[in-house]
Amino acid sequence: MAIVSPSTDLLALLTFLICLLRCCDAGYDVGVYSPIILIPCISCPNLEARLTNVYVSSLPRCGALKGKGWFSFWNNTSDLVRHNYVSCFEEHMRLVYDSALKDYRNLPGVETHVPDFGSAHGFTSKNLDSSHKGFCMTRVLEELELLGYRDGDTLFGAPYDPQHAPPLPGQPCQVFSDYFARFKVLVEHASEKNQDKLVILKFINWTPITWSKKLIKHLVLILPALPGGFMEALTNLASGPKPLVVPTIPRLSLRPMWRTFASALLFLPSSLVFGHRPLVITKNKNYSAYDYKDFLTAIGLNTEVMQRVLSTKLRVDAPMVLITYLNGVGVQTPEQAVYWDGNFDVASKNVYGDGDGVMNLVSVLALVNDLHRQQHANIHCKFIKIVNATHSDIVVQEHSLKKIICQCGILSTYCKDFLKEDFPAVIDKVGPSPVWEG
């Protein structure tokens, strides 16, 4: 039996593929369908809003849909521009931090939800031009459907609200508590629909290890957002978000909205991984991962939310199940941001290191080391580095895409030949080494 389950610490807000598998032997044909759940990256879930009578709009047109039920407002960015709705979108997307509840809420009178939960077609690229073809796992979805997977039968999706973030220990988050409950129901539904192929626990790091080892065989990670953080999370906070793109609208204009999101604070570089190395450089002061209180003050962030950043967990508890982790390497990736004049209203000049263009290799390897700790219990962890695969293209380009599909247990004749060519030992035995070159 092989099952993949997400962990709140390990797989929060990421581009990754969850393969819920049950295979009894070393290989099986494509005709044996095991349920797969796709979870998209932060820019891909669609959102709907509903405005109640309590809502007070800053502009008359922003309240035009008050009392008229649910409407789509984050599924096609071109529509936002075409209908002059960008300022209303920013207002509807803003969150408010409730210091008494220590949790985030919508503006009064604004309700949002994620539609089509459970469907693999429930998330889309927000920019529909041809240059974005393949984004938001559309190529993964196409390949799986060509192999015979069907939405709602053997293929499912679990989009989440990108404004929010999984709670750290001791911190509340009603939105993600509801999401975790829905995810559990979805997994159980997928199991029942496929002859009880799955017996799923809640989440790996929230359950006893003995239970996890009994029920979960294999965890497949594709570009998980890194608990050790990455530099782009820092520059998104300073100068506006790269993940949320609206045509003709500069990142800086979206920055006030982005800074209200809980998710904006989730993956800042950690001191455990990045140490005292300056991350942000100005002529008057440098900021390392030990200096967030000063840095967040310098960029004008609300001090009420600082504790959520400063209390970030720095290590991952190994799930104690078989793990396969795939990530791109060999791509120039920002590792220091230079705002020489201390002006965070302009894009930074960058100093580059290794990674996949977004995720820094030092943080990737820190996660590998954390996961590798379970090998002391003879539970293997396999890390596959895909050279020159960028963060956005790894699930688009044919060679890396097929590696991903084949790692999810779809061991048809093609996949056997493909994997033996690149990873000779993978088919018959997972060896003791945690690192596998791709």
Side-chain angles (χ1 to χ4, degrees):
M1 179 174 68
I3 298 177
V4 173
S5 169
S7 156
T8 56
D9 294 326
L10 190 60
L11 307 180
L13 299 176
L14 46 1
T15 303
F16 64 93
L17 184 64
I18 289 189
C19 304
L20 301 172
L21 309 173
R22 181 188 179 116
C23 56
C24 299
D25 298 307
Y28 58 98
D29 196 4
V30 174
V32 179
Y33 298 110
S34 300
I36 291 179
I37 295 182
L38 300 176
I39 300 182
C41 72
I42 192 171
S43 63
C44 297
N46 300 322
L47 284 175
E48 293 183 343
R50 180 169 63 185
L51 306 179
T52 72
N53 290 331
V54 178
Y55 174 64
V56 178
S57 60
S58 60
L59 297 170
R61 67 176 182 274
C62 295
L65 296 174
K66 184 189 294 188
K68 296 184 179 179
W70 293 102
F71 61 93
S72 297
F73 79 114
W74 182 239
N75 65 343
N76 186 335
T77 53
S78 297
D79 280 350
L80 293 175
V81 176
R82 188 179 304 114
H83 298 293
N84 193 27
Y85 203 74
V86 174
S87 58
C88 301
F89 159 74
E90 293 180 54
E91 183 168 291
H92 298 159
M93 285 280 275
R94 281 177 177 269
L95 298 182
V96 177
Y97 182 68
D98 188 323
S99 56
L101 296 176
K102 294 183 171 31
D103 200 357
Y104 288 83
R105 296 285 184 265
N106 293 112
L107 290 178
V110 178
E111 299 175 0
T112 58
H113 78 159
V114 179
D116 303 316
F117 182 86
S119 171
H121 294 273
F123 40 87
T124 57
S125 172
K126 303 301 175 283
N127 189 331
L128 303 181
D129 68 41
S130 59
S131 68
H132 288 73
K133 181 176 174 59
F135 281 19
C136 294
M137 289 194 176
T138 54
R139 286 286 293 115
V140 174
L141 183 57
E142 289 170 1
E143 288 290 321
L144 291 173
E145 289 181 334
L146 285 173
L147 289 168
Y149 280 83
R150 293 295 174 260
D151 188 41
D153 289 326
T154 50
L155 189 58
F156 304 88
Y160 50 87
D161 188 330
Q163 303 160 286
H164 293 269
L168 298 167
Q171 293 181 350
C173 180
Q174 186 60 50
V175 169
F176 258 86
S177 294
D178 293 343
Y179 174 80
F180 295 150
R182 295 181 75 189
F183 187 89
K184 180 176 182 291
V185 171
L186 175 63
V187 171
E188 291 170 349
H189 169 69
S191 172
E192 292 169 2
K193 203 168 182 65
N194 291 272
Q195 296 81 45
D196 278 338
K197 286 188 176 178
L198 300 177
V199 181
I200 194 74
L201 67 161
K202 201 170 184 184
F203 293 94
I204 290 177
N205 285 354
W206 281 11
T207 55
I209 289 177
T210 53
W211 194 17
S212 302
K213 291 173 71 173
K214 178 180 178 181
L215 298 178
I216 299 179
K217 178 69 174 180
H218 196 183
L219 177 64
V220 180
L221 306 178
I222 314 299
L223 302 177
L226 301 169
F230 50 97
M231 269 301 298
E232 187 175 291
L234 198 58
T235 55
N236 287 341
L237 200 59
S239 304
K242 284 187 177 181
L244 303 186
V245 178
V246 179
T248 75
I249 305 301
R251 290 171 52 195
L252 192 63
S253 296
L254 298 176
R255 183 178 66 181
M257 175 192 72
W258 177 258
R259 286 181 176 179
T260 71
F261 291 3
S263 53
L265 303 172
L266 189 60
F267 294 115
L268 300 183
S270 77
S271 56
L272 186 67
V273 174
F274 290 83
H276 289 277
R277 177 181 171 85
L279 301 175
V280 176
I281 298 171
T282 74
K283 64 182 178 182
N284 294 322
K285 183 178 176 63
N286 295 337
Y287 302 92
S288 75
Y290 287 92
D291 302 315
Y292 282 137
K293 188 172 183 179
D294 291 340
F295 174 72
L296 297 179
T297 300
I299 66 174
L301 197 68
N302 187 337
T303 55
E304 286 186 313
V305 303
M306 283 190 185
Q307 191 56 40
R308 294 183 75 97
V309 178
L310 300 178
S311 63
T312 299
K313 186 178 180 182
L314 299 180
R315 294 188 66 170
V316 169
D317 296 327
M320 305 306 288
V321 297
L322 178 65
I323 297 171
T324 302
Y325 171 18
L326 300 92
N327 210 101
V329 298
V331 179
Q332 277 198 333
T333 304
E335 61 180 25
Q336 291 178 303
V338 180
Y339 297 92
W340 188 244
D341 293 324
N343 182 7
F344 299 104
D345 293 340
V346 298
S348 63
K349 304 292 185 181
N350 296 321
V351 177
Y352 292 90
D354 201 350
D356 66 3
V358 175
M359 302 296 179
N360 302 97
L361 182 60
V362 62
S363 197
V364 170
L365 295 179
L367 176 57
V368 171
N369 287 335
D370 278 346
L371 298 176
H372 185 217
R373 292 199 306 270
Q374 69 182 29
Q375 296 213 150
H376 297 301
N378 202 31
I379 302 172
H380 295 293
C381 171
K382 177 178 54 172
F383 173 43
I384 299 174
K385 297 188 292 185
I386 304 181
V387 178
N388 297 328
T390 68
H391 193 77
S392 58
D393 285 346
I394 194 170
V395 292
V396 176
Q397 298 300 323
E398 183 175 357
H399 188 68
S400 56
L401 176 61
K402 289 194 180 297
K403 287 184 181 182
I404 291 168
I405 297 297
C406 291
Q407 286 299 322
C408 289
I410 304 172
L411 298 183
S412 63
T413 302
Y414 169 79
C415 279
K416 282 189 176 183
D417 294 341
F418 183 84
L419 289 173
K420 281 182 176 178
E421 176 185 343
D422 283 3
F423 318 111
V426 170
I427 296 298
D428 300 316
K429 180 181 179 181
V430 179
S433 172
V435 178
W436 294 72
E437 301 289 344

